[in-house]
Amino acid sequence: MTIRFVLLVNKQGQTRLAQYYEYLTIEERRALEGEIVRKCLARPDNQCSFVEHRNYKIIYRRYASLFFLVGVDGEENELAILEFIHCVVETMDRYFGNVCELDIMFHLEKAHFMLEEMVMNGCIVETNKQNILNPIQLMDKTT
Amino acid sequence: MAHERCHWSRFRLKSRSQGTVDQLKTIGRELAMGSQGSSKDFLDLVKAIGEAKSKAEEERIVLAEIELLKKRIMEPDVPRKKMKEYIIRLVYVEMLGHDASFGYIYAVKMTHDDNLLCKKSGYLATTLFLNEDHDLIILIVNTIQKDLKSDNYLVVSAALTAVCKLINEETIPAVLPQVIDLLGHPKEHVRKKAVMALHRFYQRSPSSVSHLLTKFRQILCDKDPSVMSAALCALFDLVSSDVKAFKNLTASFVSILKQVAEHRLPKAYDYHRTPAPFVQIKILKILALLGAGDRHTSENMYSVLLEVLKRCEPGKGEPATNISNAILYECICTITAIVASPKLLGMAAEITSRFLKSDNHNYKYMGIDALGRVIQINPDFAEQHQLAVIDCLEDQDDTLKRKTLDLLYKMTKSTNVEVIVDHMISYMRTLSDAHNKTEIASRIVELAERFAPSNQWFIQTMNQVFELAGDLVPAKVAHDLMRLLAKGAGEDDEEADSLLRSSAVESYLQLLGEPKLPSILLQVVCWVLGEFGTAGGTHSADDIIGKLCDVAEAHPGDTVVKGYAITAITKICAFEIAAGRQVQLLPECRSFMDDLLASHSTDLQQRAYELQVFLGLGPDIVQKVLHVNGSGEEIEIDTDLPFLQEFVDSSLANGARPYVHENERFEMSSGMSSFVSTSRTQQEPSHALRFEAYETPTVHTPSASSSAPPSLLPDFQEKKPESPRSLRNQLAADNSQVDLLGPEITRLRLDGVQKKWGRPSAPSQPPPVTTSNFDQEIERSGNGGSGVSERASSNRESTPAVHVYTEKKKAQPEIPAEKQRLAASLFGGSSGKRDANGVKGSKPAPNRPAAGNSKEKIPSTAQAPAPAPLMDLMDMGGGDLFSAPVAKASYDPFKELEGLLDGPSTAASTSTPAAPQKSSSIDFMSLYDSTPVVSHNTVPSTNDHDFLSLGLTSSSGIEPMNRPEAGLLDLNEFPANSPLAGLAGLEQSSSSSSTSLPERKGPSLQDSLQKDATTRQVGVTPTGANPALFQDLFG
């Protein structure tokens, strides 16, 4: 049960956040992101939120201008990942308040910190929003 | 500062005067510069990237940024905050696809910083930049060790996060003791991360933590739920690698799952009112592993599975949420994996039906997957859903289509293979990427070989596969095809065989008209034309030779094709000569031959010389050597080699040592001895022991000194033109009769080859006439290598997966005839036709499927649904729940934004109206503002006018877009509203689930205001280049 990467891409196909749980070189990432984005963004909204690409299965969800894409491998519960994406967005929304693309861009590291709390070693470890945000908010206070 | 902001926000809600706006702008700037800690530089960069219109523009910005950073980052005494910012900018550079390695060292340095934010940012950047084998890792281990000892638990957990990404196999021992100690840390946050660090160590190097298995078990009982759930991640991996060792934990998992399902965890672990769904799913996955094939263990799970299923079922009138469906799906996976009770299986089937009947594509997809699992246990179940499956198959949605093809692949049997392969081929036509094509081509080949109803069909199918997938198909497939043609149907029905061959010739001649054919197909074509091109009498030798020359000419770089072509020409010429006709080579053919005579490739040269020799020979010799239709003939081998007796006798008389049978030489297994015989040098009796591995015997080389006759190997395996040895054999194989030395035995012996396709000639392997090694050797080669026999056995093994469905007649007249037919051909098939014991092709009569069952009645429940209405953008899961009231409203350009409003609770899947949820948001509104400017019930319809925030509602009712002065001032009007509107949206979206709204919106009020201030400061305005930047993700 592994998440291989989490990608945030806007509808122009520009990467807004990328977290890989396996190492890929910059060139590999670039190529992969290009292919995936082309594939996912071209799909009409009524189609499945899942796309198979190479050895990945990509589960994606669109929020306003931003696409959240999660690449998984093997036997993964696609619906659960779809909801996990939503959980990520809810968490960001709780932290930023009406989160928008620009929030994530301005606070890239915060968005990463949240993701670090939620996913480790490609596994979903935490979905309790209090637990996720606590350390980040504590840090905000001290700095 | 927080207090000030809070005050400000409250103030903002009530006042809209110009003065205040000015004042606030100043405050906003301060906030942006101060508390955010971001410099103008950084904000400008983000702004520029955010507004970049094209990839090229983005590229320019990033390249300029790299140059800038290279200079700045090296300046002495960069303040820590500034440095942190540079590092985030480096992260941007890499994220946008450029190398930032010049700055890695600064990220590593940043991890030493005392400031927590800086340290954490340093760790973050390091984990993003470096892979675990990078040279700089060694520098960071020391820092990690130090941080793991810190008093500040946030520092410890930051270090543990880094441990998970940066520690490699070699450095594990450096931190392992500390990590183990941290399992007992008072803070659950740290314990959780320590568990994950151990999990990572296990992934990296299982042996490094093999002594800690009991620890993992203990952590499972941690009093903190999040530590427990982290332990599940590790245990899942541990259980997958060794199920037996963890069987005794079944009771613990069951009891945890029970408690979670019964809602014993704190509410904060809920997700949309479902208790800790991701924990439930993880445990279900573990249970599936533990219960597989183990009735006793499975029985212990029955009650908890029932409980989970029951609790996930939506109440009356309530829509099932995405998340509860995710759990239900996982239950199906578990139920079908373990030894389940009929009751559980029934429930799994029922849920599967529900998924399949949904209009939502995501559910359909899950349903198809679940169906594939359920029919492994209950094959009859597929039939009820045939129409749903066909709908999915014909859907525009590529993902769904592919998933359905996966399912059909699992369901293929001899009765429906034609229909399924047809679908696969037409799907393959639509594909462009090699990965998918290779996969689907190999599946088609596999199905065709296993279930082909006729040889004709098999040949045509293979041609299509070659045409579409070309060189992605393994060469072996082509060789199998050629052998099939050579051998015919395997029965003594010459007429049928020649019909088959001439139809192959016709289809290939036609195919040659196509502009671009893959090399492998051309090889087959050349071979077939050479072998059978003139056999039917419809085509003259000159015609065929002309075509072959054209092929060779069109592919000057392809020596393999050229080799096939010249050999084919040789054969045709030989047939002509043998038939007593004068052969006058066409000028083009002559020049082709001359070219090859001077070729750099010895293979081609040899072939050309052979042609030349043939042209000079008389008909009687040629007839002996190469005669029409010789390729399918058997080679009989006289293993006693009587004609050598004289030679042996004279040698013995001259004092040679008598032959000692190798069985007597080594007391070894007979299998071993046959290997040995292939290599002369190792047969000295004195060699009693050998320590090196035996080579795999691929090609038998007839050696001159051998007492064996020169052999002809029907070698259809891949060629290696570089090796003269294999070339020789290859040539022999192609011509199959070239060898002049032993014409009396030049017959391929193919009856031992098990057929992988076509009609069910007895697939049995006749017992070898003798047990001589030579004979075995021939047989092995005749099989086209070991692959064939392996495949044969794997076929037998896998056939139990071939399911047959009994027919049930159900009246259902109103289904389109076409679909009925398709359904019948896919799912029909009377029990009489079942391929029950999987003996390949036990009696696959061609042309059977569709016609016979077309009158079958189809159940109504799965009737084709009307085309699904367009769903709104965000509503992935929710189908028509929210899209109905919203998306149909109008066609204005913001329509899509409207959809976003309906936000999160996409979860819901049925078509209950959303009205009650909308109204519920009112209460929350009043919490924040006594003068609500937003009319809640109109939120969905009016909010689309705003571009600052999707959730924002224009109180004036004027579309700000249209106002000429729209800009900063307007902007200033909106932020106050935005949290409210956002709240409304959020509340609406998550009303079915979340109970924590007030607290969620608490901080967001301030933050969103601050955010607005920031953006204004940067000068990014909604009317600017990229208004999308401001859209609330939640609308």
Side-chain angles (χ1 to χ4, degrees), chain A residues 1 11-12 14-21 23 26 29-30 43 45-52 54-55 57 61-66 68 75-80 82-84 86-87 89-90 93-103 105-109 112-113 116-117 120-121 123-128 130-131 135 138-139 143, chain B residues 36 42-43 46 49 52 58-59 84 92 94-95 97-99 115 120 124 128 131 153-154 164-165 189 192-193 196 199-200 226 229 233 236 268-269 271-272 278 281-282 285 322-323 326 329-330 361-362 365-366 373 396-397 399 402 435 873-874 876 896 900 904 906 978-979 982 986 996 1001 1004 1007 1011 1015 1028-1034:
Chain A
M1 138 163 222
K11 60 180 183 210
Q12 283 87 36
Q14 295 158 312
T15 309
R16 290 300 175 239
L17 184 150
Q19 176 64 270
Y20 288 82
Y21 298 96
Y23 184 76
I26 296 175
R29 294 181 199 187
R30 230 180 144 147
R43 288 169 62 82
D45 300 313
N46 62 338
Q47 297 194 346
C48 287
S49 315
F50 323 129
V51 169
E52 283 177 40
R54 297 204 220 158
N55 300 320
K57 209 177 298 169
R61 202 158 173 167
R62 178 182 164 163
Y63 293 87
S65 56
L66 261 196
F68 285 66
E75 301 267 299
E76 193 48 88
N77 186 330
E78 291 89 348
L79 273 184
L82 196 63
E83 287 309 284
F84 174 71
H86 194 73
C87 188
V89 181
E90 280 182 356
D93 195 68
R94 188 188 282 198
Y95 180 77
F96 289 116
N98 299 324
V99 62
C100 67
E101 192 178 330
L102 206 58
D103 286 320
M105 296 184 73
F106 276 137
H107 307 286
L108 190 61
E109 75 278 14
H112 267 293
F113 294 157
E116 276 182 349
E117 295 293 326
M120 294 181 86
N121 310 341
C123 299
I124 299 172
V125 277
E126 188 65 85
T127 51
N128 177 338
Q130 285 170 11
N131 289 357
L138 267 176
M139 188 171 64
T143 42
Chain B
Q36 294 292 305
F42 178 69
L43 300 177
V46 169
I49 292 171
E58 188 185 277
E59 204 100 315
K84 183 220 139 198
Y92 259 102
E94 287 231 328
M95 183 174 83
H98 293 264
D99 177 51
N115 178 294
K120 230 173 127 70
L124 171 71
L128 290 171
N131 75 345
Y153 87 94
L154 290 175
C164 285
K165 294 214 108 188
H189 192 249
K192 173 175 74 182
K193 303 231 161 191
M196 293 315 287
H199 176 223
R200 189 52 166 186
S226 61
S229 82
C233 298
F236 176 78
Y269 287 91
Y271 173 79
H272 292 196
F278 299 97
I281 287 169
K282 215 169 294 168
K285 277 183 193 290
N322 253 351
I323 194 65
Y329 165 78
E330 202 59 57
H361 276 210
N362 287 344
Y365 178 94
M366 304 311 277
R373 294 170 190 272
Q396 293 297 307
D397 188 337
T399 309
R402 233 177 108 165
H435 185 267
L873 294 167
M874 225 204 64
M876 303 302 188
E896 63 173 32
L900 296 169
T906 49
S978 100
L986 252 180
S996 54
K1001 298 320 290 184
S1004 82
D1007 288 343
K1011 170 176 84 196
T1015 55
L1029 288 174
F1030 294 90
Q1031 288 175 0
D1032 279 0
L1033 297 184
F1034 270 130

Side-chain angles (χ1 to χ4, degrees), chain A residues 102 106, chain B residues 32 948 971 1010-1021 1030:
Chain A
L102 206 58
F106 276 137
Chain B
L948 176 65
L971 259 181
Q1010 183 186 341
K1011 170 176 84 196
D1012 296 332
T1014 311
T1015 55
R1016 246 174 290 130
Q1017 140 75 24
V1018 195
V1020 189
T1021 62
F1030 294 90

Side-chain angles (χ1 to χ4, degrees), chain B residues 795-821:
Chain B
N795 280 348
R796 272 193 294 276
E797 278 158 27
S798 59
T799 32
V802 178
H803 296 293
V804 180
Y805 315 101
T806 53
E807 264 176 81
K808 287 180 204 149
K809 308 256 176 194
K810 290 176 192 168
Q812 191 43 253
E814 65 269 22
I815 288 154
E818 203 180 315
K819 259 187 194 160
Q820 280 193 30
R821 229 172 301 134

Side-chain angles (χ1 to χ4, degrees), chain B residues 611-795:
Chain B
L611 171 58
Q612 207 174 31
V613 169
F614 271 110
L615 290 174
L617 291 175
D620 41 340
I621 298 183
V622 173
Q623 194 161 19
K624 280 254 161 105
V625 179
L626 266 181
H627 59 91
V628 178
N629 200 10
S631 63
E633 289 176 13
E634 292 178 3
I635 299 172
E636 284 159 12
I637 293 150
D638 187 344
T639 51
D640 292 337
L641 316 176
F643 60 93
L644 284 172
Q645 199 55 48
E646 208 176 314
F647 173 76
V648 173
D649 286 347
S650 68
S651 297
L652 285 174
N654 288 337
R657 273 193 296 180
Y659 176 75
V660 183
H661 196 274
E662 58 198 341
N663 287 346
E664 294 152 33
R665 269 177 282 168
F666 327 118
E667 299 294 320
M668 285 186 176
S669 71
S670 58
M672 195 63 94
S673 60
S674 74
F675 281 91
V676 174
S677 72
T678 60
S679 134
R680 293 265 119 199
T681 54
Q682 285 150 1
Q683 293 195 12
E684 293 306 316
S686 55
H687 276 223
L689 284 172
R690 293 179 59 220
F691 293 100
E692 74 276 26
Y694 291 108
E695 276 179 80
T696 321
T698 46
V699 179
H700 180 89
T701 330
S703 61
S705 67
S706 154
S707 58
S711 68
L712 264 184
L713 295 176
D715 182 0
F716 286 108
Q717 286 203 304
E718 201 168 350
K719 320 176 99 183
K720 291 195 193 85
E722 293 74 28
S723 146
R725 227 175 65 167
S726 70
L727 281 182
R728 179 84 186 84
N729 291 313
Q730 201 67 52
L731 185 68
D734 273 352
N735 293 331
S736 73
Q737 288 179 332
V738 162
D739 204 305
L740 299 165
L741 297 170
E744 67 270 42
I745 56 156
T746 51
R747 285 176 174 195
L748 282 180
R749 185 197 156 100
L750 284 167
D751 52 355
V753 180
Q754 181 153 17
K755 253 181 23 159
K756 288 295 141 262
W757 53 76
R759 249 172 297 132
S761 67
S764 61
Q765 195 132 359
V769 184
T770 77
T771 51
S772 124
N773 298 316
F774 183 67
D775 192 28
Q776 287 172 12
E777 182 61 28
I778 287 284
E779 217 172 279
R780 197 175 303 117
S781 327
N783 270 327
S786 55
V788 173
S789 46
E790 274 167 33
R791 194 150 45 85
S793 58
S794 78
N795 280 348

Side-chain angles (χ1 to χ4, degrees), chain B residues 761-999:
Chain B
S761 67
S764 61
Q765 195 132 359
V769 184
T770 77
T771 51
S772 124
N773 298 316
F774 183 67
D775 192 28
Q776 287 172 12
E777 182 61 28
I778 287 284
E779 217 172 279
R780 197 175 303 117
S781 327
N783 270 327
S786 55
V788 173
S789 46
E790 274 167 33
R791 194 150 45 85
S793 58
S794 78
N795 280 348
R796 272 193 294 276
E797 278 158 27
S798 59
T799 32
V802 178
H803 296 293
V804 180
Y805 315 101
T806 53
E807 264 176 81
K808 287 180 204 149
K809 308 256 176 194
K810 290 176 192 168
Q812 191 43 253
E814 65 269 22
I815 288 154
E818 203 180 315
K819 259 187 194 160
Q820 280 193 30
R821 229 172 301 134
L822 184 54
S825 49
L826 281 175
F827 296 88
S830 64
S831 49
K833 286 166 185 167
R834 72 176 55 185
D835 205 353
N837 45 13
V839 175
K840 179 191 64 69
S842 50
K843 52 167 184 315
N847 296 338
R848 113 180 32 141
N853 298 322
S854 60
K855 276 173 256 153
E856 189 188 355
K857 300 298 198 291
I858 280 118
S860 66
T861 43
Q863 196 181 349
L870 270 178
M871 287 173 205
D872 65 282
L873 294 167
M874 225 204 64
D875 194 352
M876 303 302 188
D880 35 22
L881 173 52
F882 294 119
S883 59
V886 176
K888 283 175 190 163
S890 69
Y891 282 96
D892 75 314
F894 290 96
K895 198 180 94 183
E896 63 173 32
L897 303 185
E898 264 183 293
L900 296 169
L901 227 178
D902 293 313
S905 65
T906 49
S909 78
T910 59
S911 47
T912 344
Q917 291 163 359
K918 275 183 211 157
S919 56
S920 71
S921 64
I922 294 174
D923 296 339
F924 288 102
M925 301 292 293
S926 55
L927 285 178
Y928 289 91
D929 191 355
S930 52
T931 59
V933 285
V934 181
S935 162
H936 313 295
N937 287 328
T938 61
V939 164
S941 54
T942 55
N943 79 319
D944 53 331
H945 301 310
D946 199 288
F947 33 74
L948 176 65
S949 149
L950 272 184
L952 214 71
T953 308
S954 159
S955 56
S956 61
I958 304 166
E959 279 191 37
M961 248 333 192
N962 297 339
R963 279 190 264 169
E965 72 279 13
L968 221 58
L969 282 187
D970 289 332
L971 259 181
N972 291 333
E973 266 182 71
F974 293 120
N977 284 355
S978 100
L980 297 176
L983 173 61
L986 252 180
E987 165 56 12
Q988 178 191 9
S989 60
S990 55
S991 64
S992 64
S993 54
S994 173
T995 51
S996 54
L997 269 172
E999 99 198 326

Side-chain angles (χ1 to χ4, degrees), chain B residues 218-261:
Chain B
Q218 283 164 16
I219 305 158
L220 189 62
C221 305
D222 195 288
K223 60 182 188 296
D224 184 83
S226 61
V227 182
M228 177 275 294
S229 82
L232 290 175
C233 298
L235 281 166
F236 176 78
D237 281 7
L238 289 168
V239 174
S240 340
S241 65
D242 184 7
V243 177
K244 276 205 187 107
F246 291 90
K247 289 266 186 196
N248 56 5
L249 270 186
T250 309
S252 311
F253 289 123
V254 165
S255 107
I256 293 170
L257 180 56
K258 191 163 187 308
Q259 292 177 49
V260 175

